[in-house]
Amino acid sequence: MEKSSLCLIFYGIALILLGLVGYLSNPKKAKTSLFSGSGMGIIAIILGFFSKLALALVLSLVLISLFSLMLLWRAVVSWRLVAAGNKSKLFVASLLSLMLLLSLFVLGYLYSVR
């Protein structure tokens, strides 16, 4: 299995786990964490299995870029709430930032191997 395949598969697993952590931190309000983390995680795993196809790598770069933009937007909103005194958003802001950093690392790696 290629390194890019393994990278996408591990990235997908990590997103699923982080989405689950976000959901378990507040099951009533954090369903989006579970859906977005698991959804993108499953897509990344599928793309990892098809990474030998040129289209899969391009699609991975596009989807992870879009996912990163969404994470950036949500993280900025959460950090602004934390800065305004809403300390209950600290965990969410940190989790979103961690997912964003992971996504940016994977993007950089995939871009370098393309």
Side-chain angles (χ1 to χ4, degrees):
M1 202 174 261
E2 292 181 14
K3 289 182 181 181
S4 60
S5 296
L6 289 175
C7 178
L8 283 167
I9 291 168
F10 286 130
Y11 172 65
I13 292 168
L15 285 181
I16 292 169
L17 292 175
L18 290 170
L20 185 60
V21 166
Y23 173 74
L24 292 175
S25 72
N26 189 354
K28 291 182 181 180
K29 293 185 178 181
K31 288 184 174 91
T32 57
S33 177
L34 183 63
F35 295 143
S36 63
S38 297
M40 186 61 200
I42 290 168
I43 291 169
I45 291 169
I46 292 169
L47 288 169
F49 284 111
F50 290 100
S51 68
K52 288 189 180 195
L53 302 173
L55 181 61
L57 185 57
V58 172
L59 193 55
S60 298
L61 289 168
V62 170
L63 290 176
I64 296 171
S65 295
L66 292 172
F67 188 64
S68 296
L69 287 173
M70 185 270 304
L71 289 170
L72 176 64
W73 166 64
R74 291 184 60 208
V76 166
V77 169
S78 296
W79 283 113
R80 284 185 178 169
L81 290 171
V82 170
N86 189 346
K87 300 298 181 200
S88 68
K89 295 293 182 182
L90 182 61
F91 182 77
V92 173
S94 300
L95 187 64
L96 289 166
S97 297
L98 178 61
M99 291 172 85
L100 175 60
L101 288 174
L102 178 63
S103 297
L104 293 175
F105 173 79
V106 170
L107 263 178
Y109 178 76
L110 291 177
Y111 186 77
S112 72
V113 297
R114 66 171 177 84

